[in-house]
Amino acid sequence: DIQMTQSPASLSASPEEIVTITCQASQDIGNWLAWYQQKPGKSPQLLIYSATSLADGIPSRFSGSRSGTQYSLKISRLQVEDTGIYYCLQRYSNPYTFGAGTKLELK
Amino acid sequence: EVQLVESGGGLVQPGRSMKLSCAASGFTFSNYGMAWVRQAPTKGLEWVATISYDGSSTYYRDSVKGRFTISRDNAKSTLYLQMNSLRSEDTATYYCTRAPGYWGQGVMVTVSS
């Protein structure tokens, strides 16, 4: 199975700061990488698909990038509503696998 | 508007069975692969099973192989997850998803005596 190593496990940042979350794939997954935000008691919400494409209705302060088998989610100009847990997901091969999650809190 | 509505969860004893359903609407169900994802209380997301658009191919995570069966009825636009020999570690919220962007609201399954 493909392993997705996500870091950091948690972070705390101030409004308007820039934060970056990364996922390292254990093998090549091409651009089959998505990023999600999940808030307590809610379903995951898609932020980024195909590694770099912004999902419909998602603010442009969210962006995704890829360098080899490392994928990054950047949130520019952090807002209060960006708190939650962020997950990456590889859909290159079954079984699809998620990263362990990053809990984002605002200071 | 795409909608995925899960049903069938609840409390079940260890070793017993339960069947989840996911009613899909707002898209041509028979054109898309579907999947189940679960999340144990306070834990991360875990991919459970995938089924191809026509039901001809299925995939399972190792921990549910031989116990869970994913299936679909394209005429009814409904996805299913038959769960047998349930264990306490299967306790979770189960989500139906048309990845990557569409998810149901989730249904809770609690395995406990």
Side-chain angles (χ1 to χ4, degrees), chain B residues 6-113:
Chain B
E6 302 96 338
S7 61
L11 175 64
V12 62
Q13 293 180 329
R16 303 297 292 265
S17 298
M18 177 174 279
K19 187 172 186 177
L20 305 181
S21 300
C22 171
S25 61
F27 66 102
T28 304
F29 182 71
S30 58
N31 286 353
Y32 293 88
M34 297 292 295
W36 290 96
V37 171
R38 69 184 180 185
Q39 186 170 36
T42 74
K43 300 297 185 183
L45 298 165
E46 190 173 78
W47 200 274
V48 175
T50 308
I51 188 167
S52 60
Y53 70 99
D54 60 355
S56 62
S57 297
T58 57
Y59 303 92
Y60 301 91
R61 67 179 300 106
D62 285 347
S63 60
V64 307
K65 280 181 187 174
R67 300 189 299 122
F68 288 14
T69 302
I70 187 172
S71 62
R72 63 191 299 158
D73 184 335
N74 283 346
K76 294 183 178 179
S77 295
T78 302
L79 178 71
Y80 302 102
L81 185 67
Q82 176 69 46
M83 304 183 292
N84 299 331
S85 303
L86 282 161
R87 306 167 180 167
S88 58
E89 54 264 36
D90 297 318
T91 293
T93 296
Y94 285 74
Y95 295 100
C96 162
T97 177
R98 194 195 101 183
Y102 298 101
W103 295 66
Q105 81 286 354
V107 62
M108 184 68 198
V109 173
T110 302
V111 184
S112 175
S113 54

Side-chain angles (χ1 to χ4, degrees), chain A residues 1 34 36 38 42-44 46 49 87 89 91 94-98 100, chain B residues 37 39 43-47 50 59 61 95 99-101 103-106:
Chain A
D1 298 0
Y36 295 89
Q38 188 179 33
K42 299 294 187 181
S43 306
L46 179 67
Y49 64 96
Y87 296 94
L89 167 67
R91 294 193 305 127
N94 277 290
Y96 299 163
T97 42
F98 291 94
Chain B
V37 171
Q39 186 170 36
K43 300 297 185 183
L45 298 165
E46 190 173 78
W47 200 274
T50 308
Y59 303 92
R61 67 179 300 106
Y95 295 100
W103 295 66
Q105 81 286 354

